[in-house]
Amino acid sequence: MYRGRLERDLSLWVGKGLLGQETATTLLAEYDGRPASFSLGRVLMALAAVLLASAILLVVASNWEAIPRLVRVGVVLALIWVVHIAAARMLARGATAAAGGLLVIGAMSFGGAISLVGQMYHLSGDEQTVMYLWFAIATISAILFRSGAVTVVAGFLSWASFAVYLQNYDTHWVGLDPWMAPVMAAITIALVRYTDAERARHLAYLLLIGWLAWLYTLYEEIAVALAFAVGGMAAVVLAALPLPRIASLVRTAGAAPAFYSFLVAAIGFLLLHIEIEGGWRLVVLGVATLAASVLAIALHGRDNGAVRYLAYMSFAAEMLYLASVTVGSILGTSSLFLFSGLVVALVAWLVIRLERRFSANAQGERA
């Protein structure tokens, strides 16, 4: 998709005399020479690795009692060593896809080995400890081999660990274990930056949002929802500040930090609307929601399409909600639809004006 748009833009610039044909061809060739961010072959290789690892563990588990104890330990250790040595050889040859698949098998084999050896020798421990150890081993493997595939595995293991906790403790807060979810998310983000597994960062951000949503279910208080709204908007503003260290981190992370920060704020405003049903507080909340949407657009709207569209949706939804609450109690249904249509038209007009301003600012900067 991007290549087609780039090719059209280059042709347009060549036609206007802004760029030479030779330069345009060189630029397109340079883009074609970059490694693809998405590869169907790599995806299929990862899926094959998951299926093979599952098959090996199921075969071993089904015949576990018939295999002598020392042989069981030897099989588990041999499997782990063989796949990692083979992965190292593949990396030395430049076969990154095959190496990634083998490392996925190795990471999954570690989990199976921990569980099976624990059962075999009746070692003390629980599911949660197994998940922590599995995540730690996957993290070490991702660091040693600088593997994006294992980083993805670690991201899913962080989700699995949080799910095991919620299941074991019936979604209650017990001890320090709940803090492991944000800790694992932070580790996953660090692995993403180290291994360049860009898409895996969404696993970490979504885990944090899921963890925050779980916190709200524990308390269900206005203070928690307000903390989401205020904290999310503070992160949105912080992501836009021209501070050298913060700006460099945000720039290399792409659209994700600002988008997920504003998503947390939007969730907070939604929860506040659930808690506040009417009165002057609802009016203040509505104005604050509209102001937050406008602020997000002003800070990130030009360069961050995800934030821009989420802010548009929040602004339009808030306008329609306020119209339904204030006008719906006075006018009939048909009048409400008419007023809502006018509101949507007003929002569309504002969006068009903002889009034009963004375009004009971008052209002014290029000039």
Side-chain angles (χ1 to χ4, degrees):
M1 183 181 295
Y2 175 72
R3 187 192 185 283
R5 186 166 66 250
L6 177 63
E7 188 174 7
R8 289 193 299 271
D9 289 341
L10 291 175
S11 299
L12 179 63
W13 295 334
V14 170
K16 291 184 176 182
L18 301 175
L19 197 66
Q21 181 62 49
E22 184 178 353
T23 304
T25 303
T26 303
L27 290 173
L28 193 61
E30 192 278 333
Y31 176 79
D32 291 335
R34 298 178 185 176
S37 58
F38 172 80
S39 172
L40 179 60
R42 292 183 179 180
V43 173
L44 293 176
M45 185 67 72
L47 292 176
V50 172
L51 293 174
L52 288 173
S54 302
I56 293 172
L57 294 177
L58 287 174
V59 168
V60 174
S62 62
N63 298 281
W64 202 241
E65 296 300 330
I67 304 174
R69 182 171 295 183
L70 291 178
V71 176
R72 302 176 200 176
V73 178
V75 168
V76 171
L77 293 178
L79 176 62
I80 294 173
W81 276 101
V82 165
V83 294
H84 282 87
I85 292 174
R89 292 178 64 88
M90 289 295 178
L91 286 175
R93 296 178 180 178
T96 56
L102 290 171
L103 289 173
V104 169
I105 294 176
M108 294 188 64
S109 299
F110 266 117
I114 295 169
S115 177
L116 293 174
V117 172
Q119 292 177 8
M120 185 172 61
Y121 289 98
H122 305 288
L123 300 177
S124 61
D126 54 17
E127 254 186 313
Q128 196 68 61
T129 304
V130 170
M131 295 307 302
Y132 293 157
L133 184 57
W134 195 355
F135 177 82
I137 292 173
T139 300
I140 295 172
S141 178
I143 294 173
L144 292 177
F145 291 90
R146 202 160 191 169
S147 172
V150 183
T151 299
V152 174
V153 173
F156 280 111
L157 287 176
S158 65
W159 270 94
S161 175
F162 186 48
V164 167
Y165 170 82
L166 295 179
Q167 182 180 7
N168 289 342
Y169 295 100
D170 195 23
T171 70
H172 294 105
W173 186 289
V174 179
L176 298 177
D177 283 330
W179 290 109
M180 289 303 297
V183 170
M184 287 183 174
I187 294 174
T188 302
I189 292 175
L191 288 177
V192 166
R193 301 187 68 87
Y194 180 70
T195 63
D196 294 328
E198 295 297 327
R199 288 180 175 82
R201 72 172 68 250
H202 298 291
L203 294 172
Y205 287 122
L206 291 174
L207 175 60
L208 288 174
I209 291 177
W211 183 74
L212 290 174
W214 170 66
L215 287 184
Y216 178 76
T217 63
L218 294 178
Y219 303 101
E220 294 187 1
E221 297 178 357
I222 292 181
V224 179
L226 183 62
F228 288 177
V230 174
M233 288 309 301
V236 169
V237 174
L238 185 63
L241 293 178
L243 301 176
R245 293 184 178 179
I246 296 178
S248 61
L249 289 174
V250 172
R251 185 171 57 254
T252 54
F259 171 74
Y260 285 108
S261 297
F262 185 61
L263 180 59
V264 171
I267 293 174
F269 284 118
L270 175 62
L271 296 176
L272 287 172
H273 277 82
I274 295 174
E275 298 289 344
I276 300 174
E277 297 181 354
W280 63 269
R281 295 193 303 172
L282 181 61
V283 176
V284 173
L285 176 59
V287 173
T289 304
L290 296 176
S293 300
V294 173
L295 179 62
I297 294 174
L299 294 177
H300 300 279
R302 191 191 69 177
D303 301 321
N304 196 323
V307 172
R308 184 167 66 247
Y309 291 122
L310 180 59
Y312 289 161
M313 292 174 59
S314 300
F315 189 92
E318 184 63 28
M319 290 292 292
L320 291 174
Y321 175 74
L322 292 177
S324 66
V325 171
T326 57
V327 182
S329 60
I330 301 174
L331 303 177
T333 304
S334 60
S335 300
L336 174 61
F337 287 159
L338 174 62
F339 185 81
S340 299
L342 294 175
V343 170
V344 173
L346 175 61
V347 172
W349 179 78
L350 290 174
V351 168
I352 293 173
R353 292 293 301 271
L354 287 172
E355 294 282 4
R356 289 177 178 174
R357 177 169 295 182
F358 292 151
S359 177
N361 290 340
Q363 291 179 0
E365 289 183 2
R366 286 195 297 267

